[in-house]
Amino acid sequence: MLPLEKNQAIDTLEYSAEVLKAIAQPTRLRIIELLRDGEHCVCEIFPAIGHEQSNTSRHLQTMLKSGILNQRKDGLKIYYSLRHPEVLEIVQLAGLIAAHEATERAARFAK
Amino acid sequence: MLPLEKNQAIDTLEYSAEVLKAIAQPTRLRIIELLRDGEHCVCEIFPAIGHEQSNTSRHLQTMLKSGILNQRKDGLKIYYSLRHPEVLEIVQLAGLIAAHEATERAARFAK
DNA sequence: ATAGTATATGAGTATTTAGTCATACACAGT
DNA sequence: ACTGTGTATGACTAAATACTCATATACTAT
């Protein structure tokens, strides 16, 4: 998210869209799932999700700027954690919809 | 969402991301809000949101393909409606996060 | 100071996205 | 058949996205 000074007129709609966009990506969903059990540093995350360190760092920055992550520096390492439990609820709801659609399509395919 | 035949191996993660991406856009959020009170045709939606008919139609197609909308044809008009109540829950949760972030930033700015 | 480790970021690329304008398509009424 | 209305879509553009490689930055330990 951009600095406040440049975006004082940004409305809740745009803000909500930015938050959702920060979640709506497979790699970032994987990271969110990883963070479900608490904070992790980049060095733990990027091997776990099978992406480059730089790519992982960028995704974390995206989520950090959107406001859905916290950052904690400890020496060399930087630990990220989920800032809002609502994010997990959103992921869960999206999973419900996805599962429902998947079974519907499977049924349609079987006909 | 792409036709099933070409995507049998698509996993829930990708599916969830697609659903969330279909929601995570300001214009589409406006449309979703409009559909909160029931089905509307394109001819009602595009003047309400202040976008072109073609643009509105494209957004509706995006959401339809992702599986979050229903479509009902009635003569010339095509009515769209929300297919999953969970979509409204997701929008509400995103709004909570956005509101929280907005007040945090306002406070930080006031310091 | 030097070397090593963890993270962020500049620069580049390929793809996707949101939008526009013009046009095609589908259905209704005459 | 013709006209009009509602919707979808082809073609295009500008901007954003996800990714890579290389490099810079920040901190630690020796």
Side-chain angles (χ1 to χ4, degrees):
Chain A
M1 218 167 247
L2 300 170
L4 182 65
E5 313 80 51
K6 293 226 164 189
N7 276 287
Q8 299 184 49
I10 197 170
D11 60 22
T12 306
L13 211 84
E14 309 258 350
Y15 237 125
S16 294
E18 189 175 341
V19 165
L20 288 171
K21 253 192 346 188
I23 306 173
Q25 208 273 347
T27 305
R28 291 197 288 274
L29 282 175
R30 285 224 57 198
I31 295 175
I32 289 168
E33 286 298 334
L34 259 179
L35 297 180
R36 180 186 285 279
D37 68 343
E39 65 176 16
H40 286 282
C41 62
V42 186
C43 59
E44 291 163 348
I45 297 171
F46 85 83
I49 65 173
H51 278 269
E52 297 229 335
Q53 179 271 323
S54 64
N55 184 25
T56 304
S57 178
R58 282 191 209 278
H59 282 301
L60 289 166
Q61 294 305 310
T62 298
M63 293 191 276
L64 182 68
K65 281 174 195 154
S66 82
I68 66 171
L69 293 190
N70 280 317
Q71 193 189 51
R72 182 179 70 86
K73 310 194 182 191
D74 181 15
L76 268 182
K77 299 185 181 178
I78 301 187
Y79 288 90
Y80 289 91
S81 56
L82 293 174
R83 185 172 165 74
H84 299 284
E86 290 89 351
V87 168
L88 289 174
E89 298 183 52
I90 289 172
V91 171
Q92 199 220 326
L93 289 165
L96 284 179
I97 297 173
H100 183 257
E101 288 302 311
T103 57
E104 283 243 336
R105 274 159 215 220
R108 213 178 313 144
F109 188 65
K111 277 199 291 207
Chain B
M1 219 166 246
L2 300 171
L4 182 66
E5 311 81 52
K6 294 227 164 188
N7 276 285
Q8 300 183 50
I10 197 170
D11 61 21
T12 305
L13 210 84
E14 309 258 351
Y15 236 125
S16 294
E18 190 175 340
V19 166
L20 288 171
K21 248 190 353 186
I23 306 174
Q25 207 273 345
T27 304
R28 292 198 287 272
L29 282 174
R30 285 225 55 200
I31 295 175
I32 290 169
E33 286 298 334
L34 259 178
L35 297 180
R36 179 186 287 279
D37 68 345
E39 64 175 16
H40 287 282
C41 62
V42 186
C43 59
E44 290 165 347
I45 297 171
F46 85 82
I49 66 173
H51 279 269
E52 299 228 334
Q53 179 272 322
S54 64
N55 183 24
T56 304
S57 179
R58 280 190 210 280
H59 280 302
L60 288 167
Q61 294 304 312
T62 298
M63 292 191 278
L64 182 68
K65 281 175 196 154
S66 83
I68 66 170
L69 292 191
N70 280 317
Q71 193 188 51
R72 182 177 71 85
K73 310 194 181 192
D74 182 15
L76 269 182
K77 299 184 180 178
I78 301 187
Y79 290 89
Y80 289 92
S81 57
L82 293 175
R83 186 171 163 75
H84 298 285
E86 290 90 350
V87 168
L88 289 174
E89 297 183 54
I90 288 172
V91 171
Q92 199 219 328
L93 289 165
L96 284 178
I97 296 173
H100 183 256
E101 288 301 310
T103 57
E104 283 242 336
R105 275 159 216 221
R108 216 177 310 143
F109 189 64
K111 278 199 291 208

